[in-house]
Amino acid sequence: TAYEIKECDWSSDVCSSDLVVTASAAGDANHNSGSLAKTFTITSLTLQTIALSISAGTKYYATTFTVSATSTSGLPVSISTSSGCSGSGTSTSGSSVTITPTTAGTGSCLVTAAQSGDSTYAPASDVTESIDISKVSLVITPDPVSRTYGDVIPTYTYAISGFKNSEAENGR
């Protein structure tokens, strides 16, 4: 049995090569010698990559943000989350998936994009991004007040700004 593989640059995106398998037998007093060759064409799958895009801006607990991903193959990309976020779905060209941080205070969450390939394209390497989750910074601004010595002490008031997610001051 002999095998012959023609040269092929397997580092390129697509590669094709022929595999020739030859079986031969030596003859003897009762049999003639002979050989048979069969050629098989081997074609690799096309390689693909994933681009992951996360909406700009600071991410806060319970504030949604969008993620989109595309593959060089044009096949849909699955998006999943772990470690501090919730949300998953499939992103195709022009679509996005909504993600919600579930870690209160500061922390991070992981967003992963995956594409498993098909009969033409090889699976892409997963792309994982760590997203920082920040605390909201509230600003307390006192209202201007003045008094003359001996006058009644005025009521002091203030305004708080910086709330997220339709939150509001409680108990004032």
Side-chain angles (χ1 to χ4, degrees), residues 1-5 19-25 35-40:
T1 304
Y3 301 96
E4 173 191 347
I5 299 178
L19 169 64
V20 179
V21 177
T22 304
S24 22
S35 67
L36 176 65
K38 179 70 178 168
T39 302
F40 299 91

Side-chain angles (χ1 to χ4, degrees), residues 87-162:
S88 62
T90 301
S91 179
T92 55
S93 181
S95 70
S96 61
V97 175
T98 300
I99 307 295
T100 304
T102 56
T103 301
T106 59
S108 64
C109 71
L110 299 176
V111 177
T112 300
Q115 208 310 305
S116 58
D118 64 7
S119 61
T120 303
Y121 291 94
S125 295
D126 290 356
V127 175
T128 300
E129 293 283 337
S130 179
I131 310 297
D132 290 330
I133 309 300
S134 299
K135 284 186 177 181
V136 174
S137 294
L138 299 178
V139 176
I140 301 173
T141 307
D143 295 327
V145 147
S146 63
R147 78 172 191 136
T148 305
Y149 180 76
D151 287 351
V152 175
I153 298 175
T155 301
Y156 294 103
T157 58
Y158 56 90
I160 301 175
S161 60

Side-chain angles (χ1 to χ4, degrees), residues 11 15 23 50 66-67 79 84 87 104-105 112 121 123 125 132 143 156 164:
S11 64
C15 192
I50 296 172
T66 58
V67 173
I79 296 175
T112 300
Y121 291 94
S125 295
D132 290 330
D143 295 327
Y156 294 103
K164 303 291 179 196

